[in-house]
């Protein structure tokens, strides 16, 4: 089972939903990075359960511990291990599905592939694993901050409710002002009400998270198989419940002529190459061009619902699966920091890969202590 991501900035996550702890080992982080513990904890707090009535009521402090790789507030260049203890497991909530396969869960596929599975909260297939990603992603954000890269995500859709305003016209900081993490307060309230209504019905609903990355240097990404947008797509599709990824103009671009879609170029007042439009989403030929990178990530409705569903058990018998436990009726509010974390991991890895070979990266990194 592969639990490692990245080529130079590598992360390996470990732990299960109802095990002792979940955590991450980061290998390849440069030495000399200021390790801001309060920032990393604040990112974990954005993801943790029990934030509001429309999230799972599992209560976890999600306070992280550093086991290695940090000395006197700075990274040492050696592997960094971070861990979060699990505290509020209710494994008995899952005893009834020990031999049953829940619809649209990983129960059947894990059993078919490995021969057994940890049925408590989904074990390794649980979104609890994303705690580790957010911790590592927060460290990646600290590195990106030093080169002027900023990543912001927000909820743009819940069910059929859509925020259609272009991100350039939104104050994305407002996303953190409400439980849904939508930067339009009026739309956010409608989304909240829809999620809460869905929760009361014992059902779940899907949504979309938008991500905007500003300040990306030109030249990140590799031609052919390691294109920047391809790696971003892989990273996003590795997140639990993700069913779709599109960047730039995405599927809407097929409705345009090339004369409309092409991003014409010009030199700005600083003699930099810029584009008049950005249908490319900040990536051309698989390499960043310095414009904003923006993409959308679609999340399915959470598979666990508080309603009876038909299924089969490990012996092939027909059964009725009853929903129990504590689950999000809609995953997107808590998915926002996860999307940002995975985006940060992709960009840091490409940046470090560029430092040895890219003229642009060498110029940017010349003033950095690492």
């Amino acid at each position: 089972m592969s639990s490692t991501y990245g080529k130079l900035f590598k992360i390996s996550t470990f732990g299960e939903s109802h095990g002792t702890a979940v955590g991450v080992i980061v290998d390849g982080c440069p030495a000399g990075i200021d390790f801001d513990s309060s920032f990393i904890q604040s990112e974990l707090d954005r993801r943790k359960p029990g934030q509001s009535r429309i999230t799972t009521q599992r209560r976890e402090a999600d306070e992280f511990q550093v086991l290695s790789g940090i000395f006197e507030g700075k990274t040492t260049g050696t592997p960094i291990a971070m861990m979060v203890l699990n505290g509020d497991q209710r494994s008995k909530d899952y005893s009834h599905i020990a031999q049953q396969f829940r619809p649209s869960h990983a129960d059947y596929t894990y059993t078919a592939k490995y021969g057994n599975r940890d049925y408590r909260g989904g074990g390794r297939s649980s979104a609890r694993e994303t705690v580790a990603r957010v911790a590592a992603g927060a460290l990646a954000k600290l590195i990106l901050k030093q080169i002027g890269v900023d990543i912001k995500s927000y909820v743009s859709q819940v069910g059929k409710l859509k925020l259609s305003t272009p991100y350039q016209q939104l104050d994305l900081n407002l996303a953190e002002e409400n439980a849904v993490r939508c930067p339009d307060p009026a739309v956010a309230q409608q989304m909240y009400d829809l999620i809460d209504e869905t929760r009361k019905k014992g059902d779940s609903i899907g949504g979309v998270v938008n991500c905007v990355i500003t300040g990306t240097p030109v030249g990140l990404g590799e031609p052919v198989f390691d294109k920047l947008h391809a790696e971003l797509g892989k990273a996003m599709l590795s997140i639990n419940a993700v069913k779709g990824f599109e960047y730039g103009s995405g599927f809407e671009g097929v409705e345009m002529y090339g004369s409309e879609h092409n991003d014409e170029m010009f030199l700005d007042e600083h003699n930099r190459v810029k584009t008049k439009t950005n249908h490319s989403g900040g990536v051309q030929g698989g390499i960043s061009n310095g414009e904003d990178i923006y993409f959308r990530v679609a999340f399915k409705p959470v598979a666990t619902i508080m309603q009876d569903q038909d299924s089969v058990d490990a012996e092939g018998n027909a059964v009725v699966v009853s929903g129990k436990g504590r689950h999000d009726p809609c995953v997107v509010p808590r998915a926002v920091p996860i999307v940002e974390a995975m985006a940060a991991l992709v960009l840091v890895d490409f940046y470090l890969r560029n430092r040895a070979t890219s003229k642009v990266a060498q110029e940017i990194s010349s003033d950095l202590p690492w």
Side-chain angles (χ1 to χ4, degrees), residues 32-182:
I33 303 296
D34 288 329
F35 190 81
D36 188 342
S37 296
S38 61
F39 174 73
I40 293 175
Q41 186 60 59
S42 70
E43 291 293 278
L44 289 169
D45 289 345
R46 295 172 67 207
R47 195 224 69 96
K48 74 179 181 180
Q51 295 182 37
S52 70
R53 192 166 66 182
I54 60 170
T55 64
T56 172
Q57 295 307 295
R58 178 171 174 170
R59 298 291 177 179
E60 295 284 358
D62 281 357
E63 294 178 354
F64 81 102
Q65 304 173 33
V66 177
L67 306 181
S68 66
I70 307 299
F71 182 67
E72 295 184 340
K74 291 185 181 293
T75 59
T76 62
T78 59
I80 299 167
M82 293 180 279
M83 179 181 72
V84 171
L85 293 173
N86 291 325
D88 188 24
Q89 309 100 313
R90 292 183 187 173
S91 298
K92 59 180 174 54
D93 288 347
Y94 298 92
S95 58
H96 69 294
I97 53 97
Q99 298 298 320
Q100 297 179 345
F101 300 141
R102 295 168 296 172
S104 290
H105 276 275
D107 299 344
Y108 169 68
T109 53
Y110 267 54
T111 301
K113 182 176 178 67
Y114 300 108
N116 66 345
R117 78 179 200 276
D118 182 349
Y119 61 83
R120 303 166 303 165
R124 187 70 179 150
S125 68
S126 168
R128 182 83 182 135
E129 179 267 346
T130 60
V131 172
R133 303 182 189 214
V134 172
L139 177 58
K141 278 188 172 184
L142 291 174
I143 298 173
L144 293 172
K145 183 179 179 181
Q146 296 191 31
I147 60 173
V149 178
D150 185 55
I151 303 173
K152 282 189 170 62
S153 296
Y154 62 95
V155 173
S156 63
Q157 184 173 344
V158 171
K160 295 181 180 180
L161 282 175
K162 298 180 181 180
L163 174 62
S164 56
T165 308
Y167 75 86
Q168 299 92 335
Q169 299 175 23
L170 296 167
D171 180 357
L172 300 188
N173 292 314
L174 294 178
E176 293 299 313
E177 299 297 317
N178 58 75
V180 181
R181 292 200 164 92
C182 172

Side-chain angles (χ1 to χ4, degrees), residues 1-18:
M1 180 185 291
S2 176
S3 296
T4 299
Y5 181 78
K7 295 207 172 173
L8 289 187
F9 192 92
K10 262 184 201 178
I11 72 165
S12 296
T13 69
F14 62 87
E16 293 80 33
S17 177
H18 286 222

Side-chain angles (χ1 to χ4, degrees), residues 8-9 28-30 347-356 370:
L8 289 187
F9 192 92
C29 180
L347 291 186
V348 161
D349 194 45
F350 273 126
Y351 178 70
L352 294 178
R353 290 164 67 176
N354 260 24
R355 287 181 68 185
W370 42 275

Side-chain angles (χ1 to χ4, degrees), residues 40 47 52 78 101 111 136 153 167 172 183 186-187 234 239 278 288 291 296 300 317 321-322 330 341 345 354:
I40 293 175
R47 195 224 69 96
S52 70
T78 59
F101 300 141
T111 301
S153 296
Y167 75 86
L172 300 188
V187 177
K234 175 184 176 181
I239 300 172
N278 188 19
S288 61
E291 301 292 340
R296 291 160 41 89
K300 70 173 183 177
N317 302 307
V321 177
S322 300
C330 181
L345 291 169
N354 260 24

Side-chain angles (χ1 to χ4, degrees), residues 325-346:
R326 298 160 295 174
H327 304 276
D328 295 86
C330 181
V331 74
V332 289
R334 292 175 58 218
V336 165
I338 305 170
V339 168
E340 292 179 4
M342 292 308 299
L345 291 169
V346 171

